Amino acid sequence: MSIIEMRSVTRTYTAGDNVIKALNSADLSLEKGNFIVILGPSGAGKSTLLNLLGGLDSPTEGSVIVDGKDISSYSQDELADYRASKVGFVFQFYNLIPTLTVHENVAMVKDIAKDCLDADTVLEMVGLEGHGKKFPSQLSGGEQQRVSIARALAKNPQIILCDEPTGALDSDTGVTILRLLQDMTRDHDKTVVIVTHNQNIAKMADVVVRVKNGRIQSCERQEHPLNVDEVDW
């Protein structure tokens, strides 16, 4: 069952007199419950694709259909509701609020999401039980990223979108984060989409989408994706 479809999607930007096609006539179909890696060099169009899926941007042409709904036709209010209920975001630099505790950073989603999960429950899911009263500055980079993932999970979304989630982490900590994200698909039936230029992460994927020069070059299913611990990091 496809949870994400892109139909002839183009996203253009203007820079002075130049028109730049960040994404050009993209067609894509992704199934629910998969670990998906969008792979490509800098400037390929990966982040544009992720922003369109996340409702952070709208296509210039074409349709973005998520769970049967064409979000490319949504109003700004409808997109805000979509971001609050359907998707969780995990960024490279965590985006935690430094003046809030770990628990507060996660629990804040209850103000925007209707069916959110208990903050203590998701902190336990990501291995941070007992850290709720700490502030982000008291945590390691890997722990802060786990708080970011817990905050995304607390919204109880169908889709988790990750933009270079291990880019600011050392190798061992990055493996911990990737193991957690892989478990989200296998144990909790979430659809995880990771944007990266790291070829090794692609070895873990159920589906690898390759993007270059604003075009989707290929979308391939891997019959035998590796567990994170099997990848030579």
Side-chain angles (χ1 to χ4, degrees):
M1 173 183 175
S2 293
I3 191 170
I4 293 168
E5 288 187 61
M6 301 183 79
R7 299 176 182 172
S8 302
V9 171
T10 295
R11 182 62 172 102
T12 60
Y13 300 93
T14 56
D17 294 330
N18 297 321
V19 177
I20 300 167
K21 286 190 175 181
L23 206 61
N24 190 357
S25 300
D27 290 299
L28 186 64
S29 180
L30 300 172
E31 294 181 4
K32 180 181 178 181
N34 281 331
F35 188 94
I36 299 153
V37 170
I38 300 174
L39 196 65
S42 297
K46 305 186 305 296
S47 292
T48 298
L49 197 158
L50 198 75
N51 289 341
L52 291 169
L53 295 181
L56 296 171
D57 198 1
S58 297
T60 307
E61 299 175 15
S63 300
V64 179
I65 298 166
V66 179
D67 199 22
K69 303 291 179 63
D70 185 358
I71 68 168
S72 50
S73 65
Y74 278 9
S75 67
Q76 289 302 311
D77 286 345
E78 288 172 323
L79 283 174
D81 288 341
Y82 166 77
R83 292 191 296 268
S85 61
K86 288 286 188 182
V87 293
F89 297 93
V90 179
F91 300 99
Q92 181 174 348
F93 295 109
Y94 326 136
N95 288 359
L96 303 178
I97 299 174
T99 55
L100 298 182
T101 65
V102 165
H103 186 278
E104 290 167 340
N105 264 283
V106 175
M108 66 183 293
V109 302
K110 71 180 184 295
D111 295 327
I112 60 171
K114 296 177 182 178
D115 299 315
C116 58
L117 302 177
D118 176 70
D120 290 326
T121 299
V122 291
L123 286 171
E124 184 174 350
M125 285 171 62
V126 302
L128 288 176
E129 60 273 21
H131 289 69
K133 294 182 179 180
K134 294 181 179 178
F135 288 92
S137 61
Q138 296 173 296
L139 303 178
S140 68
E143 288 170 334
Q144 290 186 61
Q145 189 60 294
R146 279 190 274 167
V147 176
S148 175
I149 294 171
R151 183 179 57 192
L153 290 174
K155 292 162 65 176
N156 199 21
Q158 292 180 298
I159 303 167
I160 301 172
L161 302 175
C162 310
D163 193 355
E164 296 283 6
T166 62
L169 304 173
D170 63 78
S171 179
D172 289 344
T173 306
V175 168
T176 299
I177 296 303
L178 291 169
R179 182 183 299 111
L180 176 59
L181 290 170
Q182 194 173 51
D183 288 347
M184 289 301 105
T185 63
R186 296 181 177 181
D187 299 338
H188 300 283
D189 200 32
K190 303 296 184 185
T191 302
V192 174
V193 181
I194 295 181
V195 157
T196 185
H197 63 272
N198 188 333
Q199 299 274 350
N200 278 332
I201 297 177
K203 297 174 184 177
M204 301 168 47
D206 298 305
V207 176
V208 179
V209 179
R210 298 183 186 275
V211 183
K212 186 178 181 181
N213 297 328
R215 292 185 178 274
I216 294 178
Q217 301 287 300
S218 63
C219 178
E220 298 177 352
R221 170 165 289 279
Q222 299 191 129
E223 293 302 323
H224 302 289
L226 299 180
N227 291 321
V228 63
D229 296 314
E230 296 176 307
V231 178
D232 185 7
W233 301 100

